[in-house]
Amino acid sequence: MSTEQNSNTGVTPETEEEMYAENLTEQRQIRRQKLQDLRDAGRDPYRHETWNVTAHSKDIKDNFVAMEDEEVSIAGRIMSKRVMGKASFFDIQDKQGRIQCYVRRDDIGTDEYKWFKTYDIGDIVGLTGKVFKTKTGEVTVHTESLVLLCKSLQVLPDKWDGLKDKDLRYRQRYVDLIMNENVRDTFIKRSKIEHELKRVLEEDYGFLDVRTPILQTIAGGAAARPFITHHNTLDIDMYLRIATELYLKRCIVGGLDRVYELGECFRNEGMDQRHNPEYTSMECYMAYGNLDDMMELTEQIVYKCQMAINGTPILKYGDKEFDVTPPWRRLDMTDAVKEVTGINFHKIEEDEEARKAAIDYGMDPEEVKEWTRGKIIAEMFEDYCEDAPGLMDGPVFLTGHPVEISPLAKRDPEDPRITRRFEAYINGWEIGNAFSELNDPIDQYERFAEQQRERDEGIDDEAHPMDMDFVNALEVGMPPTGGLGIGVDRLIMLITGEPSIRDVILFPTMKPLD
């Protein structure tokens, strides 16, 4: 291994408490000395403010016939370097990929070539030159002028081993992006998916993009534990939002008939393959729309995002395939529980009978003793059905949610114990949640009051708090409305095939190093 490479960890941050291994410290000292030599010679690389880039790597290679012998101005990071006396080859990496460059002493001058030979892997350069092909057929830029734009004082991972330690990749995403082309490609795809999602909403359905508060005095719109902070000037505790729902509905009350927000939400909960405390949500609300409209919208968003990235409706994730072509299957929650457990709650009317059935099946009597029939159905679905082989592979819309777990959804007129709500599942993952939104202020107040009671009595610390301003907004009058929320990170995981939510979040939440 040369002094340019470190195959063990990649870039390790130096602190006052922790020093580098001896060999890495020596490499950093060498690079710092090179920087000092440049400054002493009046060549400080950090003084440069800009570089006129006229072409990029992939464009040059894809359009070689038109660009042969044309002069280009490019910039990027040196990723490899082969010094051969009076001439050298080196690769630079820009936003599109890598391209080979050729430099000769006679072309740029003896002094400039001497400095070039001191440049390190990781340094950022700008150059001008003409496009040609080598004898081996590789598209190359013949360098005519070369400028060091930034000196890298760290040592990039070994080019063969790359940066493979997952924990380090997440902590130092900037190195991960440099070293792993597939990682850069994932985040380029993420941007395209979000763009297509917004295009569908705005161009196909006429939604308006709005912004609502992230800091809120009431953590509403979902059942989740919030992050708490304190506003010094107002001397009040505030919460990072757990959902955008209640403010977006206020927009509907105000006459903005179709609104959506694509933004960050925060939940102070567990972290695993599909959960990060900070995540991206898309919520939209359609005045005069209902649950069925939201189903169609969900199908179109997923279908068109999948097509935009992969060009096929067959979504491949691991060894599974899912055809996301509309329409999708529908499954009632009570039917799902019956299919898996054999308990037919359609024929069970009383809470006590439901508790006995649940306990007989194996649920904890202490947990079940306070639960209603609807709460038991929801908990049995979560415990026994969500992971049942094949049941929720989808794409599928789960419907028939009990009113006890749906404080913001309209009751089903044919069965007031359940609501007009669905959850969208693919690969057994919930990716979307939608309602025919509750707009009855009296019903909403009563449901909030019951949720608040459960919070106050310690029955459910994630129950929805009372929000009198939202009730007031409903009293002003909200038209019949359909609402939809999509977990954007999970959708991106599925479309890009990534195994963890951390692989689609540029800078995921990490525990600080000791």
Side-chain angles (χ1 to χ4, degrees):
M1 182 184 300
S2 73
T3 57
E4 294 291 340
Q5 299 169 343
N6 170 30
S7 62
N8 295 320
T9 60
V11 181
T12 306
E14 181 179 9
T15 65
E16 293 180 0
E17 297 79 20
E18 181 181 56
M19 297 300 294
Y20 284 99
E22 183 177 353
N23 68 323
L24 184 56
T25 302
E26 290 175 356
Q27 292 173 31
R28 287 199 67 205
Q29 289 174 348
I30 291 170
R31 291 194 177 208
R32 285 176 177 254
Q33 184 58 54
K34 288 181 180 181
L35 173 61
Q36 190 58 51
D37 292 343
L38 287 161
R39 285 175 165 164
D40 291 343
R43 303 171 66 93
D44 187 344
Y46 302 126
R47 65 183 173 84
H48 296 288
E49 294 185 44
T50 186
W51 184 260
N52 181 32
V53 176
T54 65
H56 295 94
S57 56
K58 187 174 185 298
D59 292 336
I60 294 171
K61 290 187 282 189
D62 288 349
N63 299 284
F64 172 75
V65 174
M67 300 186 72
E68 185 177 11
D69 293 329
E70 292 293 317
E71 184 170 284
V72 296
S73 178
I74 62 176
R77 189 181 300 274
I78 297 175
M79 298 302 293
S80 69
K81 184 178 167 193
R82 303 171 295 286
V83 178
M84 302 176 296
K86 299 179 181 180
S88 301
F89 285 96
F90 61 103
D91 289 350
I92 68 166
Q93 180 170 288
D94 62 15
K95 69 176 185 178
Q96 291 185 347
R98 297 190 188 187
I99 190 166
Q100 179 173 269
C101 302
Y102 173 68
V103 59
R104 293 194 312 171
R105 183 186 66 185
D106 293 346
D107 292 329
I108 65 172
T110 301
D111 190 52
E112 201 65 50
Y113 189 70
K114 179 194 72 173
W115 285 109
F116 164 75
K117 290 196 292 184
T118 70
Y119 296 169
D120 293 305
I121 305 300
D123 288 353
I124 298 173
V125 297
L127 62 94
T128 60
K130 291 184 177 178
V131 179
F132 78 106
K133 271 188 181 179
T134 64
K135 293 179 180 179
T136 59
E138 184 165 357
V139 177
T140 306
V141 177
H142 188 150
T143 304
E144 296 173 343
S145 67
L146 181 67
V147 177
L148 181 64
L149 301 175
C150 178
K151 182 67 184 171
S152 174
L153 300 181
Q154 287 281 8
V155 182
L156 293 179
D158 178 87
K159 67 178 181 179
W160 302 113
D161 292 334
L163 184 63
K164 295 181 179 179
D165 181 275
K166 280 204 167 185
D167 186 78
L168 190 60
R169 284 179 50 218
Y170 299 146
R171 292 182 186 279
Q172 299 187 10
R173 183 70 84 185
Y174 42 90
V175 182
D176 192 22
L177 290 165
I178 292 169
M179 300 306 300
N180 295 316
E181 182 179 359
N182 63 306
V183 174
R184 294 196 303 277
D185 185 56
T186 292
F187 288 104
I188 291 170
K189 288 179 178 178
R190 177 180 183 122
S191 178
K192 292 178 179 178
I193 291 168
E194 291 186 0
H195 175 79
E196 180 64 12
L197 191 158
K198 295 178 71 173
R199 188 203 65 76
V200 171
L201 288 166
E202 294 178 15
E203 297 181 13
D204 295 354
Y205 288 88
F207 282 86
L208 179 70
D209 183 9
V210 300
R211 292 292 173 269
T212 62
I214 292 176
L215 283 175
Q216 303 180 354
T217 55
I218 296 174
R225 184 176 293 109
F227 287 94
I228 305 174
T229 187
H230 188 78
H231 193 296
N232 292 332
T233 301
L234 298 177
D235 193 24
I236 58 171
D237 284 341
M238 300 191 77
Y239 305 93
L240 296 182
R241 68 184 180 194
I242 58 175
T244 56
E245 177 167 347
L246 300 188
Y247 281 99
L248 290 174
K249 287 183 182 177
R250 288 171 169 93
C251 292
I252 297 293
V253 171
L256 301 177
D257 281 358
R258 296 191 179 196
V259 293
Y260 83 94
E261 184 167 8
L262 179 66
E264 303 311 298
C265 290
F266 310 84
R267 299 189 180 183
N268 195 359
E269 299 174 340
M271 299 167 61
D272 58 29
Q273 178 193 15
R274 302 196 301 275
H275 295 86
N276 192 68
E278 178 179 358
Y279 66 97
T280 303
S281 168
M282 188 291 296
E283 289 195 42
C284 62
Y285 293 85
M286 177 192 292
Y288 313 108
N290 67 4
L291 189 74
D292 298 314
D293 295 310
M294 295 301 101
M295 284 186 176
E296 177 196 325
L297 180 58
T298 304
E299 290 169 342
Q300 289 300 315
I301 286 172
V302 175
Y303 172 76
K304 290 182 177 177
C305 286
Q306 164 67 13
M307 291 296 294
I309 299 302
N310 296 316
T312 171
I314 307 303
L315 190 157
K316 297 181 180 180
Y317 192 82
D319 59 356
K320 295 182 178 180
E321 293 186 355
F322 310 96
D323 187 345
V324 298
T325 304
W328 297 358
R329 180 170 64 98
R330 301 186 185 193
L331 175 65
D332 177 79
M333 181 182 287
T334 304
D335 289 341
V337 172
K338 178 183 177 183
E339 181 175 337
V340 174
T341 68
I343 302 173
N344 186 358
F345 283 97
H346 290 299
K347 295 184 177 180
I348 295 177
E349 299 292 334
E350 301 299 325
D351 293 342
E352 190 58 43
E353 186 181 357
R355 293 187 194 111
K356 182 178 184 304
I359 293 169
D360 288 346
Y361 192 77
M363 298 196 79
D364 186 344
E366 284 301 309
E367 287 188 346
V368 171
K369 68 180 182 180
E370 298 290 338
W371 290 352
T372 62
R373 170 186 174 276
K375 176 72 169 175
I376 289 169
I377 292 171
E379 291 292 332
M380 293 196 77
F381 173 81
E382 183 175 331
D383 288 354
Y384 304 117
C385 301
E386 276 194 337
D387 296 327
L391 182 67
M392 304 305 296
D393 274 1
V396 58
F397 291 121
L398 181 73
T399 62
H401 293 69
V403 69
E404 291 91 333
I405 63 165
S406 308
L408 298 164
K410 276 185 181 288
R411 295 177 188 266
D412 190 315
E414 296 182 3
D415 185 351
R417 298 174 301 179
I418 63 174
T419 57
R420 291 281 288 158
R421 174 185 177 186
F422 74 75
E423 291 173 297
Y425 282 79
I426 299 177
N427 192 40
W429 304 353
E430 179 198 338
I431 64 162
N433 190 20
F435 311 147
S436 286
E437 300 293 337
L438 178 63
N439 62 342
D440 178 341
I442 297 174
D443 190 357
Q444 183 66 85
Y445 174 82
E446 291 172 350
R447 293 199 218 177
F448 277 168
E450 175 60 22
Q451 293 269 307
Q452 186 66 56
R453 182 191 66 81
E454 292 187 2
R455 288 174 68 92
D456 294 342
E457 295 180 5
I459 297 172
D460 184 355
D461 61 359
E462 294 185 1
H464 201 291
M466 176 60 72
D467 187 338
M468 285 305 302
D469 182 74
F470 180 68
V471 173
N472 184 70
L474 293 186
E475 289 185 349
V476 172
M478 186 176 83
T481 298
L484 167 66
I486 288 179
V488 176
D489 304 300
R490 290 186 185 178
L491 177 61
I492 292 170
M493 285 175 64
L494 288 167
I495 292 175
T496 60
E498 293 293 347
S500 169
I501 194 170
R502 293 184 175 190
D503 293 316
V504 299
I505 296 176
L506 270 170
F507 302 102
T509 304
M510 302 291 291
K511 183 178 180 179
L513 294 170
D514 295 331

